[in-house]
Amino acid sequence: MSDEKIYTAAMIVIGSEILSGRTQDENVQYLAQKLTDKGVRLQEVRVVPDVELAIIEAVQTLRSKYDYVFTSGGIGPTHDDITSVTLAKAFSVPIEQNEEAYEILRAYYGEVALTDARLKMAQIPHGALLIPNPVSSAPGFQIENVYVMAGVPKIMQAMVDYVVAAISGGALLMSQTVFCTVYESEIAEDLERLQHKYPEVDIGSYPHYTPNGSGINVVLRAINERQLIDAVEDVQRIVQLLERKK
Amino acid sequence: MSDEKIYTAAMIVIGSEILSGRTQDENVQYLAQKLTDKGVRLQEVRVVPDVELAIIEAVQTLRSKYDYVFTSGGIGPTHDDITSVTLAKAFSVPIEQNEEAYEILRAYYGEVALTDARLKMAQIPHGALLIPNPVSSAPGFQIENVYVMAGVPKIMQAMVDYVVAAISGGALLMSQTVFCTVYESEIAEDLERLQHKYPEVDIGSYPHYTPNGSGINVVLRAINERQLIDAVEDVQRIVQLLERKK
C-alpha cells in the first residue's frame, strides 16, 4: 500500500476581499479536510487578488507542480468576477458561451430574467467540463487539472464534494492525536527522538492556549498503520511519564 | 496625497496543520485588517508546509516582489519548528544564540528550567532584530524586510500590533460598504459602468446568503476621498431604484 501513487494538490483563493481583511476565508479548511480524507496531499495555498496577471501566474506555476489545482472565487456575474475569462487566457483557449451552462441558467432564471450579466456566467473556456452548482445554478468548471469553483462557501462546498468524489485519491494518510498538558519545550527532545525512530510517521506538535490552561496536541500521521500505532504508543508513554512528574 | 508611496506586503503562513485541514487559520485576517488600516496593501498570501525548500522558495520570491513579508508559524521549541534555521539559510547567514533572546528566555523560565528545547528559541539568524512576545517570551525577529512571527494567534496578534506600529504605511485606502438586497446579476451592469466612471475607486461586489435571505455588499475603496463619496452616492441611488422595483 505504501507504494501507491501519492496525489498532490494546490489551492488558489481568488479574492481581494480576503487580502483586505474584510472576509475570513472558510474555503481552505473545507477543501483541505476533504482532500486529506481522500488521501490527496494539499501542498500549497495561494491567496491572490482579482487581478489577471496574479491569477495567471499562480495557475500556471501550480498546475505544472501539482496533480490538481483548485480555485475558489470570481465566477459570479459582476465586473470584478474575472476568473473564467482569465483561465481561458491562462490556457490559451477562447472563452465562449457554453450551451450546457446556458441551458442550466435558462432553466433556473427563466428566459426573461436571463440578463446579460447572468449570461456572463455561461461564458466558459473552450473545452472545459462543467461542475454543477446545486445552490444557485451557475456552474464551475474543470479545464485539464484545474478545478474552478465559486467563492461563496455554501456553493464552494457543494462543488468540492462533487469534485473530490470524482478525482483519484491515492494512499490514505492515517492520523492520530495525543493531547497532553505538558509544555512543548518539555516534550520537544522526546518528539525529536521519536521522529528519527519513525521516519515514515509525520509527527507534529501544536500548542494551544485556552482560559483553562495550555497544552499541546501531538499529531501523528502515516500511511503505514503499524508504524503509526507504535509511534502513538510511544508518545502516550512519554506523556504519562511527564504528566506524572508534575 | 495620491502620489504618496504605496507599500505592498505578502504573508507566508508556515503550517502543515493548515494544509491538512486540522486547523482553521485566523492569522491572515488579523494581519490583513491591520495592514489595511495602516495603508499597506497585502497582495498575496501563501500557505506552505513545514518543509525547508518550500519556505525558502516562498521567502525569496515574495521578499523581492513586495516591500514587506510577514511569516507566521514554526518558531517554537519542537523538531517541526524549522522557521528560524530555514530563514538563516534563505538569507545565507549563520544561525546563532542571540544573547538578548537568551536573557529574555532566562528571565521567563529561570536558569534551571531553561532546557535545550527552550534554548532552541534563542537561536536567531545573525543580524536579525527581535520582535517581543508579551505572551510567552520567546521572540520573533525581523531580518531585512521579512518579519518572522509565531503561529499561535494570541502571540501572533501581539507581534503584528508591535510590527505594524513600527513600519511605514503610506497612502491610506478608505473604504465604504453599501448593503443591498438585490441579486448581484441585477446590479452587475450598473457596477461595471460605475467602475469605468470612477477608475480610481476599486468597486467590489460580495454576495452573501443567510437563512433570512440573500443580498450583496458593494465595497468601494479609494485613496481619493471625493471620488469615493461620489461613487458611493451613485451606488446608493442605483440600489434605491432597484429595490423600489421589487
Side-chain angles (χ1 to χ4, degrees):
Chain A
M1 182 163 168
S2 300
D3 55 11
E4 207 180 321
K5 174 165 166 58
I6 305 288
Y7 288 87
T8 60
M11 178 178 184
I12 305 171
V13 178
I14 299 167
S16 298
E17 71 278 19
I18 310 286
L19 294 172
S20 73
R22 219 195 126 262
T23 304
Q24 165 70 49
D25 168 77
E26 304 171 25
N27 293 333
V28 171
Q29 190 178 27
Y30 191 84
L31 178 67
Q33 285 174 340
K34 294 289 167 174
L35 290 177
T36 298
D37 291 347
K38 183 85 180 188
V40 175
R41 274 41 156 196
L42 181 62
Q43 302 277 50
E44 184 169 352
V45 176
R46 295 194 187 177
V47 187
V48 299
D50 305 287
V51 169
E52 187 178 291
L53 198 65
I55 298 170
I56 290 178
E57 195 194 307
V59 168
Q60 287 177 339
T61 304
L62 297 177
R63 83 180 208 84
S64 66
K65 215 167 156 183
Y66 304 106
D67 293 313
Y68 306 114
V69 172
F70 302 91
T71 81
S72 68
I75 62 167
T78 57
H79 67 281
D80 56 338
D81 291 308
I82 62 165
T83 299
S84 303
V85 65
T86 303
L87 264 284
K89 288 184 188 176
F91 280 89
S92 304
V93 297
I95 181 111
E96 62 190 18
Q97 180 165 303
N98 180 296
E99 288 314 306
E100 191 187 345
Y102 172 81
E103 291 302 332
I104 290 168
L105 291 167
R106 199 176 61 148
Y108 184 80
Y109 288 110
E111 189 80 61
V112 177
L114 196 51
T115 57
D116 283 354
R118 284 171 178 156
L119 266 179
K120 189 185 156 209
M121 297 188 286
Q123 293 282 319
I124 305 279
H126 179 78
L129 295 171
L130 300 189
I131 299 171
N133 168 354
V135 179
S136 57
S137 92
F141 59 87
Q142 171 197 353
I143 179 162
E144 298 192 21
N145 62 338
V146 180
Y147 298 80
V148 175
M149 303 182 293
V152 175
K154 206 168 128 190
I155 306 173
M156 194 270 186
Q157 289 168 13
M159 289 181 172
V160 167
D161 292 348
Y162 177 87
V163 166
V164 172
I167 62 175
S168 298
L172 278 188
L173 202 58
M174 278 161 292
S175 171
Q176 286 226 33
T177 300
V178 180
F179 175 74
C180 55
T181 56
V182 303
Y183 289 110
E184 265 204 310
S185 43
E186 297 173 303
I187 200 172
E189 284 160 56
D190 288 314
L191 291 183
E192 185 163 13
R193 190 173 46 73
L194 284 186
Q195 183 66 83
H196 288 292
K197 183 174 172 190
Y198 299 103
E200 284 182 46
V201 181
D202 179 33
I203 304 176
S205 153
Y206 305 107
H208 67 108
Y209 299 84
T210 70
N212 306 321
S214 61
I216 61 169
N217 287 306
V218 180
V219 180
L220 301 97
R221 298 188 303 162
I223 293 172
N224 184 322
E225 189 170 9
R226 187 67 254 157
Q227 284 235 346
L228 181 65
I229 291 170
D230 289 347
V232 165
E233 286 175 0
D234 276 7
V235 171
Q236 285 168 335
R237 257 193 301 274
I238 289 162
V239 165
Q240 278 173 11
L241 280 171
L242 286 171
E243 289 184 342
R244 209 172 298 155
K245 271 202 245 166
K246 296 215 148 188
Chain B
M1 182 165 165
S2 299
D3 54 13
E4 207 181 317
K5 173 163 167 59
I6 305 288
Y7 288 88
T8 60
M11 177 177 185
I12 305 171
V13 178
I14 299 167
S16 298
E17 73 278 18
I18 311 285
L19 294 172
S20 73
R22 221 195 124 262
T23 304
Q24 166 70 47
D25 168 77
E26 304 170 25
N27 293 333
V28 171
Q29 190 178 28
Y30 191 85
L31 178 67
Q33 286 174 340
K34 294 289 167 174
L35 290 177
T36 298
D37 291 348
K38 183 86 181 188
V40 175
R41 275 34 157 205
L42 181 62
Q43 302 278 49
E44 185 169 349
V45 175
R46 294 195 188 175
V47 187
V48 299
D50 305 288
V51 168
E52 186 177 292
L53 197 65
I55 298 170
I56 290 177
E57 195 194 308
V59 167
Q60 288 178 338
T61 304
L62 297 176
R63 82 179 208 85
S64 66
K65 214 166 158 184
Y66 304 106
D67 294 313
Y68 306 115
V69 171
F70 302 90
T71 80
S72 68
I75 62 168
T78 57
H79 67 281
D80 56 337
D81 290 307
I82 62 165
T83 299
S84 302
V85 65
T86 303
L87 265 282
K89 288 186 188 176
F91 280 89
S92 303
V93 296
I95 182 110
E96 61 191 19
Q97 180 165 304
N98 180 296
E99 288 314 308
E100 190 185 344
Y102 173 80
E103 291 302 333
I104 290 168
L105 290 167
R106 200 177 59 149
Y108 183 80
Y109 288 110
E111 189 82 61
V112 177
L114 197 50
T115 57
D116 282 354
R118 284 169 179 156
L119 266 178
K120 190 184 155 212
M121 297 189 285
Q123 292 283 319
I124 305 278
H126 180 78
L129 295 170
L130 299 189
I131 299 171
N133 168 355
V135 179
S136 57
S137 94
F141 59 88
Q142 172 196 354
I143 179 162
E144 298 194 23
N145 62 339
V146 180
Y147 298 79
V148 175
M149 303 181 294
V152 176
K154 207 168 129 190
I155 306 173
M156 193 270 185
Q157 289 169 13
M159 290 182 172
V160 166
D161 292 349
Y162 176 87
V163 166
V164 172
I167 62 175
S168 298
L172 277 188
L173 201 59
M174 278 161 293
S175 172
Q176 286 226 29
T177 300
V178 180
F179 175 74
C180 55
T181 56
V182 303
Y183 289 109
E184 265 204 308
S185 43
E186 296 173 304
I187 201 172
E189 283 160 55
D190 289 312
L191 291 182
E192 184 163 14
R193 191 173 45 72
L194 284 186
Q195 182 66 82
H196 288 291
K197 184 175 171 187
Y198 300 103
E200 284 183 46
V201 182
D202 179 34
I203 305 177
S205 152
Y206 305 106
H208 67 108
Y209 299 83
T210 69
N212 306 320
S214 62
I216 60 169
N217 287 305
V218 180
V219 179
L220 300 97
R221 299 188 302 162
I223 294 172
N224 183 321
E225 189 170 12
R226 187 67 254 157
Q227 284 235 348
L228 181 64
I229 291 169
D230 289 348
V232 166
E233 286 174 1
D234 276 7
V235 171
Q236 285 167 336
R237 257 193 302 274
I238 290 162
V239 166
Q240 276 172 13
L241 280 172
L242 287 171
E243 290 184 340
R244 207 173 298 154
K245 271 203 245 166
K246 295 216 147 185

